Amino acid sequence: MSALRVFKFGGASVKSAEGIRNMAEIIRRQTSGNLVVVVSAIGKTTNALEEILSLYLAKSDEKANKLDQLKVFHTHIATELVGDSSSSHPLLAKVEQLFAELDEKMKFPPSGGYDYCYDQVVSYGELLSTTMVSFYLNQAGIRNRWIDIRKCLRSDTSYREGVVDFELSQYLCEKEFCFDSDHLFITQGFIAGTAEGTTTTLGREGSDYTAAVLANLLDATDVTIWKDVDGVLSADPKIFSNTCKLDFISYQEAIELAYCGAQVIHPKTIKPIQNKQIPLYVKSFINPEASGTTIGHSDVPLSLPPVLILKRNQALVSLTPHDFSFVIEESLSKIFAILYRHRVKVNLVQNSAISFTICVDDEHLRLPGAIEELQKTFTVRFNSNLELLTIRHYTSHVVDEMVGERIVYLQQRTRSNARFIMDARL
Ligand code: ASP
Ligand code: MG
């Protein structure tokens, strides 16, 4: 088989007709070999669908308006792409049909729990975007096949956090992606399917992960994630000044950065490609010829500049057993079992003799339930509206500059990381 590459285009790259045309040009330049293109929902569609879901669950009349706005947004882009606004146009009819299906689903009273409903609704973002992209590419002479990834990326029924069955998915994907007859495939990121044929999602921003998993399953030579930045940067330029691009980082470094909260790639993305030593390129879709960042294998320690990672919307939770007994293994395992059950993401832990402190994502759907359960055994103290700043490869100069006189609730330093929990800046 000739070489296979995997490309992933995120929401920002396909947020308009112009963006989709630009993406088509990047794909067109890929003249030889096989290519699988993983696409996210258009622009901020996933957020909009989350909102529509909440309105549906709250039985709010506002839902119809929001759904209509989203439909107008997609129809507008589709119209611009095909240069035709008649509703009988095959692409416009298809967009209409997907919205009608989604609307139909929400005519029934919600059942199956929040996470299940979430996946059935929010997955439409990727179904819409890939349908539009695939149609447009074919029309532009870039022959491709649209794949419904739910048929071949098999997950369990952990809705909103589907766990991929690699073995079965490999078997199914090898059949579905048939490179004998086609060389370009367009498919959805973020979503998967269960054995029962229901839809799951793989966690917010999960399209990078999909690209990595497909690269692993189909033995790709490399993966490229196309973004609106030049590559992996030393800090988010929207928050910090003086950022620089990292030319090369190891898989290990990428995992550490993602774990600390770097937005650039989804934390789960690295393992599937590292296992097969597949390089990952992070490149700019605005400047596609530029070199970007390569993430790959390295035997030698690399010297990297200080990297700043800010995680917002954090809560600090301190737990003390009601009877003031020492926090021993049993308490710890109890705490983690509760946090895991409620899917609360723990970003940092610190313990003392009688108390245990964790910094967690302050997710309003998950944290309150966990706290309520923890309160049965522990006295819980709670601070919210905090931010967690990680300075990786820190220097005292950068720590002074970034933290200075600010009030620090908790800090932790290892040889490579200095982490600070502080009040959120306005
Ligand atoms: N559309 C999904 C999200 O916004 C998945 C992704 O973009 O990777 O979370
Ligand atoms: Mg997205």
Side-chain angles (χ1 to χ4, degrees):
M1 192 182 87
S2 63
L4 163 68
R5 310 190 71 188
V6 176
F7 281 2
K8 180 260 172 169
F9 287 90
S13 63
V14 291
K15 67 171 193 260
S16 61
E18 194 196 337
I20 295 174
R21 284 193 205 104
N22 178 54
M23 163 193 192
E25 285 321 303
I26 292 175
I27 293 172
R28 198 196 293 276
R29 266 176 248 147
Q30 191 60 35
T31 46
S32 65
N34 299 313
L35 181 62
V36 170
V37 178
V38 173
V39 186
S40 304
I42 292 179
K44 301 267 179 257
T45 298
T46 304
N47 292 354
L49 285 165
E50 283 185 348
E51 209 182 319
I52 288 166
L53 172 74
S54 302
L55 295 169
Y56 160 56
L57 297 177
K59 302 190 174 56
S60 161
D61 294 339
E62 208 17 49
K63 184 206 86 195
N65 288 339
K66 286 276 180 243
L67 189 60
D68 211 48
Q69 278 171 19
L70 195 63
K71 182 168 149 187
V72 168
F73 173 66
H74 280 80
T75 311
H76 181 77
I77 295 176
T79 305
E80 251 192 79
L81 283 175
V82 296
D84 188 336
S85 59
S86 70
S87 56
S88 61
H89 185 282
L91 179 60
L92 297 181
K94 186 71 199 167
V95 169
E96 171 77 42
Q97 184 206 326
L98 285 165
F99 273 100
E101 250 176 63
L102 176 56
D103 197 26
E104 189 60 35
K105 274 193 198 302
M106 292 189 286
K107 293 238 159 71
F108 294 92
S111 65
Y114 178 83
D115 291 351
Y116 171 80
C117 291
Y118 181 100
D119 290 357
Q120 310 322 304
V121 169
V122 173
S123 51
Y124 273 83
E126 273 68 15
L127 295 174
L128 282 158
S129 65
T130 51
T131 301
M132 288 162 58
V133 163
S134 170
F135 189 98
Y136 173 71
L137 290 175
N138 273 323
Q139 180 188 272
I142 307 173
R143 225 191 89 205
N144 71 90
R145 195 151 81 80
W146 182 87
I147 297 247
D148 183 343
I149 201 71
R150 296 172 298 177
K151 286 198 194 137
C152 54
L153 191 62
R154 181 60 61 79
S155 84
D156 67 0
T157 54
S158 318
Y159 294 102
R160 278 181 83 200
E161 304 250 7
V163 177
V164 172
D165 178 335
F166 274 70
E167 209 174 320
L168 194 52
S169 300
Q170 172 143 24
Y171 171 76
L172 297 169
C173 283
E174 277 171 359
K175 282 211 301 192
E176 198 67 20
F177 290 84
C178 175
F179 298 105
D180 293 338
S181 45
D182 289 282
H183 303 288
L184 173 61
F185 293 84
I186 306 297
T187 196
Q188 308 78 40
F190 177 57
I191 71 175
T194 66
E196 294 74 35
T198 54
T199 305
T200 53
T201 63
L202 306 174
R204 281 301 309 258
E205 308 300 333
S207 299
D208 292 355
Y209 179 60
T210 304
V213 171
L214 290 179
N216 174 303
L217 300 179
L218 299 169
D219 264 324
T221 47
D222 51 53
V223 179
T224 307
I225 296 185
W226 295 94
K227 296 194 70 95
D228 55 358
V229 288
D230 290 339
V232 179
L233 306 179
S234 63
D236 182 344
K238 288 184 206 116
I239 309 175
F240 300 101
S241 49
N242 297 329
T243 59
C244 65
K245 176 172 76 74
L246 311 176
D247 295 331
F248 179 88
I249 56 176
S250 64
Y251 293 122
Q252 204 51 44
E253 181 69 25
I255 290 172
E256 294 283 356
L257 292 178
Y259 173 75
C260 293
Q263 294 284 319
V264 69
I265 28 174
H266 191 279
K268 291 196 292 188
T269 308
I270 302 299
K271 260 285 151 243
I273 52 167
Q274 184 182 18
N275 287 348
K276 290 212 169 162
Q277 301 279 299
I278 299 168
L280 171 73
Y281 308 119
V282 180
K283 284 170 69 93
S284 158
F285 60 76
I286 301 156
N287 191 5
E289 301 306 326
S291 61
T293 297
T294 300
I295 300 173
H297 175 73
S298 168
D299 286 323
V300 289
L302 303 162
S303 102
L304 290 167
V307 178
L308 304 176
I309 304 154
L310 187 68
K311 244 179 169 326
R312 292 196 163 121
N313 202 25
Q314 298 295 297
L316 198 59
V317 183
S318 291
L319 307 164
T320 314
H322 287 322
D323 57 6
F324 289 101
S325 63
F326 279 44
V327 176
I328 43 163
E329 286 73 4
E330 199 188 319
S331 304
L332 290 186
S333 77
K334 190 166 194 168
I335 292 168
F336 279 105
I338 293 172
L339 294 171
Y340 181 72
R341 213 167 23 253
H342 291 271
R343 299 284 187 274
V344 172
K345 291 250 172 352
V346 179
N347 299 315
L348 183 149
V349 301
Q350 187 146 304
N351 70 320
S352 73
I354 55 156
S355 82
F356 186 72
T357 304
I358 47 175
C359 176
V360 295
D361 286 353
D362 192 358
E363 238 213 84
H364 69 282
L365 284 165
R366 294 179 172 171
L367 191 55
I371 300 249
E372 203 180 301
E373 216 179 309
L374 287 165
Q375 275 166 337
K376 291 183 189 145
T377 319
F378 303 94
T379 303
V380 180
R381 277 177 303 133
F382 187 86
N383 286 294
S384 53
N385 202 20
L386 303 176
E387 57 188 37
L388 168 61
L389 174 70
T390 302
I391 309 176
R392 198 163 156 73
H393 315 298
Y394 64 93
T395 60
S396 53
H397 174 73
V398 177
V399 169
D400 284 348
E401 193 184 345
M402 299 316 305
V403 181
E405 301 296 300
R406 293 178 69 184
I407 295 168
V408 175
Y409 285 71
L410 196 152
Q411 62 172 297
Q412 236 174 40
R413 290 186 200 220
T414 64
R415 255 177 303 169
S416 356
N417 290 348
R419 312 189 82 190
F420 303 89
I421 298 169
M422 301 179 282
D423 275 324
R425 279 200 166 152
L426 294 176

